[in-house]
Amino acid sequence: MKFYCLCAMETVSLPESDLTSLPTVSVIVPIYNGEADLPELIQCLQAQRYPTDRVEYLLVDNGSRDRTSELLQSILHSLSLTQDNIRVRVLSETQIQSSYAARNCGIRATSSEILAFTDADCRPQPDWLLHLVQPFVQKVGQPEIDPEINLEIGVVAGEILPLSGNTLLERYADRHEILSQRHTLSHSFYSYGQTANLAVRRQALEQVGSFRPWLTTGGDADLCWRIQQTGSWQLQYAEQAIVQHRHRSTCRELRHQWMRYGRSNRYLHELYGVTLEQSLTAREVVYRLGRWLVKEIPLVCRQSLSQQNTSRLNASRLQTWIDSMLDTPIGLLCRYWRTVGQQQTKLPEMARHIEPLPVAAPARNL
């Protein structure tokens, strides 16, 4: 399935008349135990250049057990005392522990024309929302419909770039662009965007329903695929709509991430029949480790010795050397965890349920 790429300028500069005619947007952020991320997230939302009278931010607490709820109320109080006219609403989803159920809570609470999604541990850039919404309002030469609205675009995916990290595992993920939307956009079944940076036209949701609330992973692919399968909507990639996201920095976090990828593969296989990822076999492990020991390690050592005497090896070069030496073992671990996640899970019957979204009159003003 093809997707369409919008390569926008680094900074969006629109006439004042264009800014006032932009669609209404609700940015929905599910939060679970997000007290460490909330201060920076709010700063990023306050820095958005999208017209403040056209956007609201819905922060949905998904049953957090830390100080998230307290901090959210404190944020609301602080915003009420400042001159900042950013509109923030705090919602709560406690019945279902799932980020997709939390997003549905936000969807039900608004009638905005465009619904944008990001996560609490993401850092949207100031022009993020302008770039993300831009494909929905491109002029497409169809005056019989509406010269300002592109009704063929139902979903827009922005790009996800890493926040700077210094650990071995963060550097591994950065080299392999683990978080990039380019991987999901090239899926052989249909393109899809991750909900860390995604926008959906409300009309598309009214047609296919919201997220499957009982899913715990894979819901972003499921929603994008349902929308595209109607034949009425396209997905577009807005490369300059950027959020930054932290890579996993510990083995525990990395294991959880890749096992979740495996569970997602299984769920989507059961829902759509898509091919499962090839499982990692013992034979492949033996082959890859043998190649690593016999070929890759000697090659890295020779390259290091030829470039600079080891006694003068500085910290940066040593770090690069270590990264190269351990790239293959880390990659094998990730594939193993994905295989385990794929093999040890089954789609819960409740997760097949799609939450319908009643048709609502679009909100022209918030």
Side-chain angles (χ1 to χ4, degrees):
M1 172 60 63
K2 295 180 180 179
F3 63 91
Y4 296 83
C5 178
L6 176 70
C7 297
M9 300 286 290
E10 289 190 3
T11 301
V12 177
S13 297
L14 297 175
E16 193 66 29
S17 59
D18 289 345
L19 289 173
T20 58
S21 65
L22 286 170
T24 54
V25 180
S26 290
V27 177
I28 299 172
V29 186
I31 305 171
Y32 179 70
N33 292 346
E35 64 172 302
D37 291 306
L38 278 174
E40 287 188 43
L41 172 68
I42 294 299
Q43 289 178 9
C44 291
L45 299 183
Q46 288 176 304
Q48 291 302 304
R49 295 184 58 245
Y50 204 87
T52 54
D53 63 333
R54 313 295 293 167
V55 61
E56 63 176 352
Y57 301 94
L58 307 182
L59 309 181
V60 188
D61 184 7
N62 194 202
S64 298
R65 298 180 179 181
D66 61 0
R67 296 179 56 249
T68 292
S69 178
E70 178 184 338
L71 283 177
L72 287 172
Q73 295 306 317
S74 176
I75 288 168
L76 285 181
H77 179 69
S78 297
L79 290 174
S80 69
L81 299 177
T82 67
Q83 298 297 319
D84 196 334
N85 55 354
I86 178 176
R87 183 179 182 188
V88 175
R89 285 199 281 159
V90 172
L91 306 173
S92 178
E93 168 56 61
T94 57
Q95 294 185 344
I96 304 175
Q97 180 59 60
S98 162
S99 63
Y100 303 117
R103 293 183 182 100
N104 284 351
C105 176
I107 292 170
R108 292 193 300 269
T110 183
S111 59
S112 294
E113 299 160 85
I114 305 297
L115 303 169
F117 302 96
T118 190
D119 294 328
D121 56 355
C122 290
R123 302 293 174 260
Q125 298 302 293
D127 282 337
W128 165 65
L129 202 51
L130 280 172
H131 283 299
L132 195 64
V133 172
Q134 192 175 14
F136 292 111
V137 296
Q138 283 182 302
K139 296 182 180 181
V140 294
Q142 294 179 302
E144 68 279 6
I145 298 177
D146 187 331
E148 297 295 332
I149 301 295
N150 184 353
L151 290 180
E152 293 183 347
I153 302 299
V155 185
V156 176
E159 184 54 288
I160 304 170
L161 298 179
L163 289 163
S164 59
N166 297 316
T167 70
L168 172 68
L169 299 181
E170 287 173 313
R171 296 195 302 272
Y172 170 84
D174 195 9
R175 287 194 306 278
H176 293 272
E177 298 183 320
I178 299 299
L179 296 174
S180 176
Q181 298 273 41
R182 297 178 187 275
H183 301 297
T184 59
L185 291 169
S186 61
H187 197 283
S188 58
F189 185 62
Y190 279 95
S191 302
Y192 72 94
Q194 301 167 74
T195 43
N197 192 356
L198 194 71
V200 182
R201 195 186 294 276
R202 184 181 182 87
Q203 289 171 281
L205 291 180
E206 292 171 346
Q207 187 173 352
V208 305
S210 300
F211 293 98
R212 298 180 196 260
W214 292 98
L215 269 183
T216 54
T217 182
D220 40 18
D222 169 62
L223 181 67
C224 291
W225 292 354
R226 280 189 280 127
I227 290 173
Q228 291 174 89
Q229 281 183 324
T230 65
S232 304
W233 308 102
Q234 296 174 351
L235 182 149
Q236 186 158 316
Y237 173 44
E239 186 175 15
Q240 296 298 328
I242 295 171
V243 303
Q244 291 182 284
H245 193 293
R246 280 200 313 272
H247 284 306
R248 275 57 175 182
S249 60
T250 68
C251 282
R252 181 179 180 181
E253 292 173 339
L254 193 68
R255 176 179 177 272
H256 181 269
Q257 178 184 24
W258 282 88
M259 288 190 69
R260 179 167 54 83
Y261 289 164
R263 292 195 300 273
S264 176
N265 293 339
R266 172 63 63 179
Y267 294 162
L268 296 172
H269 171 72
E270 295 191 29
L271 287 170
Y272 294 93
V274 296
T275 305
L276 289 169
E277 294 287 345
Q278 184 177 359
S279 296
L280 182 65
T281 64
R283 181 177 180 179
E284 184 178 358
V285 171
V286 171
Y287 170 77
R288 292 289 305 280
L289 288 178
R291 178 183 173 87
W292 174 62
L293 288 168
V294 174
K295 186 174 182 179
E296 295 177 16
I297 289 180
L299 178 62
V300 171
C301 290
R302 285 196 301 270
Q303 290 174 341
S304 298
L305 290 171
S306 66
Q307 292 173 2
Q308 187 172 342
N309 188 290
T310 54
S311 63
R312 297 165 55 201
L313 199 63
N314 59 38
S316 176
R317 293 176 63 83
L318 178 62
Q319 188 179 89
T320 301
W321 183 79
I322 293 173
D323 290 347
S324 300
M325 291 280 281
L326 297 180
D327 194 84
T328 291
I330 295 173
L332 287 172
L333 270 176
C334 292
R335 284 198 57 196
Y336 169 73
W337 287 327
R338 185 180 65 189
T339 296
V340 171
Q342 189 170 266
Q343 292 177 344
Q344 294 185 353
T345 194
K346 181 178 175 58
L347 181 71
E349 192 58 35
M350 289 188 301
R352 297 183 181 275
H353 170 69
I354 299 172
E355 183 170 319
L357 181 66
V359 176
R364 294 294 172 181
N365 291 288
L366 293 172

